[in-house]
Amino acid sequence: MAQPATSTLTTSPGGGRQHEDGTPRRDFLYLSAAAFGATGAVLTGWAFVHSMNPSADVLALSSTEVSLAALQPGQSITVTWRGKPVFVRYRTPEEIAKAKADDKADLRDPETDQARAKKEQFLVLLGVCTHLGCVPLGQKPTDPHGEFGGWFCPCHGSHYDTSGRIRKGPAPKNLEVPAYTYLNDTTIRIG
Amino acid sequence: MAKYDYVPSPFMSNPIVKWVDHRLPIFEMVDQQLIKYPAPRNLNYWWNFGSLAGVMLVVMILSGIFLAMNYQPNTLAAFDSVERIMRDVNYGWLLRYMHMNGASMFFVVVYIHIARGMYYGSYKAPREILWWLGLLIFLAMMATAFMGYVLPWGQMSFWGATVITNLFSALPLVGKSIVTWLWGGFSVDNPTLNRFFALHYLLPFVIAGLVMLHLWALHVHGSNNPLGIDAKGPQDKIPFHPYYTVKDAFGLSVFLIVYAYFVFFNPYVLGDADNWIPANPMVTPPHIVPEWYFLPFYAILRAVPDKLGGVLLMFGAIAILFVLPWLDTSRVRSGRFRPAFRVFFWVFIVVTITLGWCGAQLPEGIPLILGQVCTVLYFAHFLVFLPLLGWFERPRPLPASIAEPVLTPAAK
């Protein structure tokens, strides 16, 4: 049953070697050479493409620790995480009550306030409008807060409520809540 | 472009190809110049090095562009940004090893390409302009490589830049002002690094333009060949595809194995350990050497105990190649039929390699004297041996055509 490989080869009319079923041996050589070359080119190409993805030093900066100890009710701070602003607001009882009351309102991107804040007094949001990436106003008391008392994006007029949910304007989604954990009662790690 | 009995490839009758070609005859050009292009039937593997050089140019431009995305051309950040490429950027080590060893590979290939042209007389009429364009590419390559070596901003980068730019200070009267102008200051510093980066990015595209002209000139009279005689008719030529595309592809595969050895197994063997020390304008390393591909010229520079003389001779070593087509007085192109030239050619190769060895040693004692002897021999090859050989050498008889030695059975 184990025939010598050469016995399956005959000479084709053109003079080249071919297999018994008539396929020229050269087809195999062409295909295997092309496949080998293409694989090498794709793998090398991947190294080039991947070099443009975030590098190790960029990935190393992807978490930020924030202390909330100095915050007073009604105050907001903005911290940088992955080059973007993160809003942390110590909400007043009125703001919390308003946010919870609006859980049943007609929301574009329905989410309960409870699902958006691990501790109800501290609201942590990615300060990037879900429309086209501007930073909404509303961190300072003197800023416009929009019609729902939260944040207002000056670029295209999106209004966010006291839970950071989109209520009016072109943005499709609520302000994103980044992944964060409480390290202790007054310290969080974002990312 | 060369006139020949052009029979279009089957794909040329495709309606889309026809539509495009009627407006921009790009398919016709590819078909005429790359596919059906008639090349001498007897090209040997020494003719692979032109296409290998082309491949290296592409590899260098591609890896260079991706490196530039992560490199900082600033004296405060350059060294660290290169280390970041090596450690933090995904596959950054691969890109950098490809680029730094690619420069060496590019020079190896080009030196062999030049030597092949010298052995087979490829610079002789009607290919003088083709030869000149090649030399311009070589000069642009040297400038590019020199400026590229400055970018990592190590000790060798800095002191190499200082020494090479100071060559121009040898010029009478204007020398000092030219060096200040090159530096953009009073020493090699941030403005120098900035402009070197800008020019290092620009010059490869100038080289690409020169390569186009080189190919244009090449395709007017076609490739020279190992016999050095002109093709007498269609029986002397074969279409470029598949014969030489396959031969070039095979040669490329072998070459890539060598290249990959350096990239993956010995990436620093061609470099200098001093470049791991960040540039320090206060301390010169004890032993300054350029990269290996500049060593023969560096040896010529140091062979002359006079500043201006050394600089002139060093540049003269390359300038003399421009008049090579007229210094070689023999009407026979190929060294295969020139028994005496062959000996002198190999002597010249040994002399050049010896110069390279001398360039890597401290300039004193035997290496200095040997370097001086070889400098004399280097120039004598062009100014004495080649002109005289044409008169005194008796070439062996040339075959009647390229096809003849192939098609007539060897008389035995």
Side-chain angles (χ1 to χ4, degrees), chain A residues 44 46-58, chain B residues 62-63 66 69-70 84 87-91 94-95 98:
Chain A
T44 312
W46 168 244
F48 281 71
V49 171
H50 191 43
S51 78
M52 291 173 73
N53 274 326
S55 57
D57 60 321
V58 172
Chain B
L62 277 179
S63 55
F66 281 80
M69 293 180 190
N70 288 293
R84 183 182 161 265
R87 291 150 197 262
D88 288 343
V89 174
N90 306 315
Y91 292 109
L94 178 60
L95 296 176
M98 280 174 78

